[in-house]
Each structure stands twice: as C-alpha cells, then as structure tokens.
Amino acid sequence: QVQLVESGGGLVQTGDSLRLSCAPSIRTFTLNVMGWFRQAPGKDRQFVAAINPNGGITYYSDSVKGRFTISRDNSKNLVFLQMNSLNPEDTAIYYCAARRTRFNDITTSVDTYDYWGQGTQVTVSS
C-alpha cells in the first residue's frame, strides 16, 4: 500500500520561510513524478509545484514561482518544498502527490496524480 506522509507545516508570519517534506513509501520512487498541491478553505485543490523523476525538471504555478522550490532526494525517498517570502494567501493545507510510473511527464491537474498524502497545514499570519 502506497503512503505519502507530509511534515513541516506550521504557523508563521508574513515573510517567513518553511520547508515541507514528503516521505512516500513507494518502491518505484525514483520513477515517479512528484507534486505539491494546496487547498485553502472553501477553495478547490490547486497545483503548486512538480518535479520529474530525476529532479532535472521542475514546474511551478505562477503564484509561487520565484518563492517556492521543489526538490527531491532519490537516495532517501524524500520530496521537499522550500517556501520563502510566505504571505497570508499561501495559507492552506499542503498535499504531496505522486503519479504512476508509466506517466513520466509533469502535469498540473489534480486528476492526473494517483497517490496522495493526508496533508500538512500551513498558516501565514499578517
């Protein structure tokens, strides 16, 4: 059974930084596209960032580009989301997600990711 466990969320102030981690229990981790999504209260789940299997290609939503960085450590089965210059609009539950290994392209749609974590809360106060 595939499990993805996020950690690193918390309450911070505007301008602060946080680093989220995701630990997927996926045997084929080095072959999976990984993504981060977020869901604010009353809103749909939205794409934040994604990274291809070898870490050489990343993609970001316009709202986080230049502030957030996605990375992965394939030797440790970990994915990270470094979040800088946080603002209250970044407040949401952040989810880690993975695509099945037969899909090696980066996508931004929630429906194209097959495995999901339970999420970690990020709250940014003004």
Side-chain angles (χ1 to χ4, degrees):
Q1 182 178 357
V2 174
Q3 288 187 322
L4 287 73
V5 180
E6 303 96 336
S7 62
L11 172 63
V12 297
Q13 295 184 333
T14 297
D16 285 349
S17 299
L18 274 178
R19 189 194 197 200
L20 305 184
S21 298
C22 173
S25 62
I26 303 177
R27 290 185 295 109
T28 59
F29 176 73
T30 60
L31 302 178
N32 294 90
V33 169
M34 301 298 300
W36 285 96
F37 290 76
R38 67 186 181 185
Q39 188 166 17
K43 295 187 177 181
D44 293 334
R45 193 169 298 188
Q46 296 180 331
F47 171 79
V48 174
I51 188 167
N52 74 328
N54 68 13
I57 300 174
T58 57
Y59 190 76
Y60 300 91
S61 68
D62 288 342
S63 62
V64 308
K65 195 176 300 180
R67 299 187 298 124
F68 291 11
T69 302
I70 187 171
S71 61
R72 64 192 296 161
D73 185 339
N74 284 350
S75 67
K76 298 181 180 179
N77 272 36
L78 290 171
V79 182
F80 305 100
L81 185 68
Q82 177 66 43
M83 306 186 296
N84 298 330
S85 301
L86 286 163
N87 60 64
E89 289 69 40
D90 296 316
T91 295
I93 298 174
Y94 283 72
Y95 297 91
C96 177
R99 300 197 74 194
R100 293 185 188 277
T101 55
R102 65 177 178 270
F103 304 115
N104 60 5
D105 54 324
I106 286 178
T107 59
T108 63
S109 172
V110 169
D111 294 341
T112 60
Y113 286 77
D114 304 286
Y115 308 110
W116 292 85
Q118 293 301 306
T120 185
Q121 176 71 48
V122 172
T123 303
V124 185
S125 64
S126 58

